[in-house]
Amino acid sequence: MRKRLGKRILSTVLAAVLAVSSISIPAKASELDSYQDEVIATSTDAEELGEVSEEEISEAAEAPEAEAVVEDEEVVYDENGEVYYRRYFIDEVEVIDFGDNEVPIEGEEESVDMAEEADYARDYSVYHNDYSYNKMTSTQKKVADQIFAYGNKLLTTTTNVTTTSLGYYVSSVITVPTSWSSTDMSQMLKATLYQRPEFYFLQIGIVYQSGKMYIKVYDAFVNGSTRMSYTNTIFNRVEGWVNEIKNANFESQWKTELACHDKVVRSVTYKDGTYSQSIFSSVYQGYTVCAGYAKLYAMLANACGIPTVSVSGSVPGGNHAWNESQLYGNWLVVDCTWDDPDSGSSVKYNYFNKTQAQVNSAGGTRTILSCMKSWIPSTPYTYNSTAFYPKGIYVARCTYEGASMGASVDYNQYSLSQMEYQWQATCDGGNTWKLVQDWTRGNNWVDVKPYARGNCIVVCRIRPVGYSSMVQQLNAGFEYNYYIKDICQLPYTGKGGGFLLGFSSFDNPNNSYQYEILILDLSLYAQGKDAWVFNSGRNKINGTTLWTVWQPQYGYYLTMYRLYDGYGNLLQELCYGFQNI
């Protein structure tokens, strides 16, 4: 066992600052938008999480737990007595200054076995988004690269973690500008780890000297083999959730994002613990605070193709964490923590896909961590939340009578009745446009009767009611080359009986069309025999309808109606069955 100095001794040689604060009560948000019914209907089911006690983790790693410092939890209730949201947050940032005389020394006072590195094929990059990293300054990137390199080393190998001469488990040295203060270092670490939630074993705490920073590692994960076991368990579970969402094959990004939101809210309980700043709490233990909610949501959303960043900042009265996700080119706020009710209550959506202005109005102005401000997308602050996303036109029916089609739209926070549609069509390459339906509220389906044969194009223009400038449009093409208008098959009551067969075309230019009726005997066909038992031959006629009478034997038959142009080219054929039994 390693020798460890007690907290009482450490307090005489170290200056430690533990920042802990709580979140104030924001004003009640507006009622849920009109899409709530759809949201609830598409929510994913909860999944039970295995839980491990902090004592078990401590024993497994043979290292004591860090003591969590908390303030009283405060809960805001709605008019029905249900939890509206919680205002409670523990910000576990610990800053320890070693000064000039006390330097962390790796592997001198206590020897550390460096386990052989292992090659693991898991792709952890899917769980984060590089938007924030790409916004960093060159100096910040140099520091972030060192943090990422060390985090990836512990994530993908069984390397054991070194200790300092005072007993802290820390990373290898991270070189920082000598001009950086301890606040600069701690903020940089916090902001960086929010963008790499997969580094669950790193604390948001530093040991530093001028120009050097060491990241604290949770005691439970210093042993490489133990850590790898936890890594496999955690990411197997996360991959399971991701696959569950992907396999649902949602028809829109919005519903995929919704499933990620619901999976977090339904799978995690709001409760503080030692690892609440890490996804270890939300994934492995099943309980966490806002940091754990935000980091887990970012992992699921990014892995499901929804670009997402985690944000650390404050609301009136305390610190908080949330997310911003990119949907259809726009960044919006997602706050799973404040959407999480008590166990058994319905998931709330008051903070799902909102603009920064909306969440500021509902819960007080949010301020982003100073060093992170330039990393976070700016579009949410100006984005108009009335946006919607047209997906395509669905052609349900296309016959000689025309086509029936509907517009498929991701309404976001709208309902069908809040949208209006205008339909136009052209069948001559855009030279002539016909208005099929002028602006009509709530009617996203239309019947199109083409005015000419050929390749037709339909345009559907869409806008929210009352927003004439917010027009988006969909285009769809379909081929309208129908020539046969009607067919007739009915018993013949004239001399000899049998069946009266006939078919007509829409037109017959210069009486040049050729009309043909053939009959196939299915019984003969099943025996492999020559089954064509009737052929009217190709007939040119005056008019548009060919009639014939046929007297069949008992059996089952198919009738083939064929129409040719004057050169013998097949224009169209239709096949119908009938029986004579």
Side-chain angles (χ1 to χ4, degrees), residues 281-353:
S281 60
S282 48
V283 178
Y284 194 95
Q285 294 176 301
Y287 60 85
T288 191
V289 294
C290 58
Y293 280 88
K295 291 178 180 180
L296 176 56
Y297 170 78
M299 291 179 68
L300 297 183
N302 281 314
C304 290
I306 309 294
T308 297
V309 297
S310 298
V311 185
S312 176
S314 63
V315 295
N319 296 314
H320 190 45
W322 62 94
N323 299 101
E324 290 184 9
S325 288
Q326 188 185 51
L327 194 69
Y328 311 132
N330 300 291
W331 289 88
L332 293 171
V333 173
V334 177
D335 192 331
C336 293
T337 309
W338 283 9
D339 276 345
D340 189 8
D342 269 343
S343 177
S345 300
S346 298
V347 177
K348 297 183 183 298
Y349 302 93
N350 298 294
Y351 293 90
F352 176 70
N353 277 356

Side-chain angles (χ1 to χ4, degrees), residues 146-396:
Q146 296 175 75
I147 297 172
F148 296 160
Y150 185 75
N152 282 323
K153 181 177 181 180
L154 295 192
L155 187 65
T156 59
T157 73
T158 54
T159 300
N160 292 338
V161 180
T162 60
T163 68
T164 71
S165 57
L166 290 181
Y168 289 98
Y169 290 101
V170 295
S171 69
S172 56
V173 63
I174 307 295
T175 303
V176 298
T178 55
S179 60
W180 278 18
S181 66
S182 60
T183 300
D184 294 330
M185 296 181 208
S186 60
Q187 281 204 5
M188 180 65 185
L189 175 64
K190 182 176 182 180
T192 302
L193 291 185
Y194 264 70
Q195 309 313 318
R196 290 295 189 276
E198 60 266 33
F199 298 154
Y200 68 91
F201 37 78
L202 297 182
Q203 296 189 48
I204 303 179
I206 64 171
V207 177
Y208 76 96
Q209 280 187 315
S210 177
K212 296 180 180 180
M213 179 176 73
Y214 303 79
I215 309 170
K216 295 186 69 178
V217 179
Y218 287 110
D219 292 1
F221 312 122
V222 299
N223 179 273
S225 298
T226 301
R227 186 180 62 256
M228 186 56 68
S229 177
Y230 282 127
T231 297
N232 289 332
T233 299
I234 289 169
F235 286 94
N236 284 342
R237 180 166 294 164
V238 172
E239 285 179 2
W241 290 339
V242 170
N243 289 334
E244 176 187 333
I245 295 169
K246 286 183 175 180
N247 291 339
N249 292 320
F250 294 110
E251 67 271 23
S252 69
Q253 281 187 311
W254 184 82
K255 288 189 176 180
T256 299
E257 183 197 20
L258 177 70
C260 295
H261 169 278
D262 288 357
K263 176 57 69 175
V264 174
V265 173
R266 294 182 183 276
S267 300
V268 180
T269 299
Y270 191 95
K271 176 185 174 184
D272 176 55
T274 300
Y275 306 94
S276 290
Q277 301 301 301
S278 163
I279 56 107
F280 183 83
S281 60
S282 48
V283 178
Y284 194 95
Q285 294 176 301
Y287 60 85
T288 191
V289 294
C290 58
Y293 280 88
K295 291 178 180 180
L296 176 56
Y297 170 78
M299 291 179 68
L300 297 183
N302 281 314
C304 290
I306 309 294
T308 297
V309 297
S310 298
V311 185
S312 176
S314 63
V315 295
N319 296 314
H320 190 45
W322 62 94
N323 299 101
E324 290 184 9
S325 288
Q326 188 185 51
L327 194 69
Y328 311 132
N330 300 291
W331 289 88
L332 293 171
V333 173
V334 177
D335 192 331
C336 293
T337 309
W338 283 9
D339 276 345
D340 189 8
D342 269 343
S343 177
S345 300
S346 298
V347 177
K348 297 183 183 298
Y349 302 93
N350 298 294
Y351 293 90
F352 176 70
N353 277 356
K354 301 295 182 179
T355 65
Q356 189 70 39
Q358 285 176 314
V359 297
N360 286 347
S361 175
T365 300
R366 300 188 176 205
T367 303
I368 298 173
L369 191 68
S370 59
C371 84
M372 189 186 282
K373 285 182 179 179
S374 62
W375 305 356
I376 302 304
S378 59
T379 48
Y381 305 101
T382 58
Y383 172 63
N384 190 327
S385 64
T386 56
F388 56 97
Y389 179 67
K391 296 189 297 182
I393 293 178
Y394 172 65
V395 180

Side-chain angles (χ1 to χ4, degrees), residues 4 9 37 47 112 120 123 218 223 237-238 262 265 267 352 388 417 425 429 437 468 487 526 532 548:
R4 312 273 296 182
I9 298 174
D37 293 339
E47 181 174 334
V112 178
Y120 291 91
D123 180 11
Y218 287 110
N223 179 273
R237 180 166 294 164
V238 172
D262 288 357
V265 173
S267 300
F352 176 70
F388 56 97
S417 63
Q437 173 187 285
S468 59
I487 66 102
W532 291 105
T548 188

Side-chain angles (χ1 to χ4, degrees), residues 560-576:
M560 186 74 73
Y561 300 91
R562 289 177 175 171
L563 182 67
Y564 303 84
D565 65 15
Y567 300 99
N569 299 310
L570 181 65
L571 297 176
Q572 189 180 358
E573 66 178 8
L574 295 177
C575 181
Y576 290 89

Side-chain angles (χ1 to χ4, degrees), residues 402-473:
S404 295
M405 54 188 63
S408 177
V409 180
D410 216 339
Y411 297 112
N412 197 2
Q413 298 176 17
Y414 279 93
S415 65
L416 173 64
S417 63
Q418 294 173 300
M419 308 297 290
E420 56 185 358
Y421 306 82
Q422 182 195 67
W423 295 81
Q424 300 181 60
T426 179
C427 293
D428 57 8
N431 293 323
T432 306
W433 285 92
K434 299 291 186 180
L435 181 64
V436 179
Q437 173 187 285
D438 207 352
W439 290 108
T440 304
R441 182 170 180 163
N443 185 15
N444 63 328
W445 283 89
V446 72
D447 291 326
V448 181
K449 177 68 174 179
Y451 56 83
R453 293 192 186 97
N455 295 318
C456 300
I457 299 174
V458 174
V459 172
C460 177
R461 304 178 73 214
I462 310 163
R463 69 189 184 193
V465 175
Y467 292 87
S468 59
S469 63
M470 292 186 60
V471 177
Q472 298 190 50
Q473 73 178 37

